[in-house]
Amino acid sequence: QVQLVESGGEPVQAGGSLRLSCKLSGFLNSNQCVGWFRQAPGKEREGIGTIHTSRGDTYVHESMRDRFTISQNNTENTVFLQMDSLKAEDTGMYYCALDPGRGRSYWRKCSMSPSAFDDWGPGTQVTVSS
């Protein structure tokens, strides 16, 4: 069993920055991917990006790549989402999730599909005012 807890969401003005954290605990493995997702009111859950926590390689959706960065602190089992130049349309609930990758190749590409992720955090709210 894995637990994920997001933090760092808060109200911010447009143009500002936030760093969200995703703390992982429980049974972790060497082939896991952590994904960041967001959901605005009345909209579908949207994938932001992923990180393979052992390989360290990251992916951010091209629409956000110039403003968002994913990183990690392996010692603390924490994954970060750095968000700069925030816009009102970035408002929403932000989630991190874990794809354990059991039985799959170590060199797999992390999926951006929510259905690939088994465990989810409760979310942290980001509100950007214009």
Side-chain angles (χ1 to χ4, degrees), residues 6 10 16-17 30-31 46 61 64 94 105 108 121 126-127:
E6 305 92 340
E10 62 183 49
S17 297
S30 62
N31 196 23
E46 176 184 26
H61 192 280
M64 293 169 263
Y94 283 67
S105 167
R108 69 193 180 100
V126 172
T127 303

Side-chain angles (χ1 to χ4, degrees), residues 52-69:
H52 189 286
T53 59
S54 291
R55 299 194 317 252
D57 51 287
T58 62
Y59 169 83
V60 177
H61 192 280
E62 60 182 356
S63 66
M64 293 169 263
R65 198 169 293 162
D66 59 338
R67 299 185 298 123
F68 291 6
T69 305

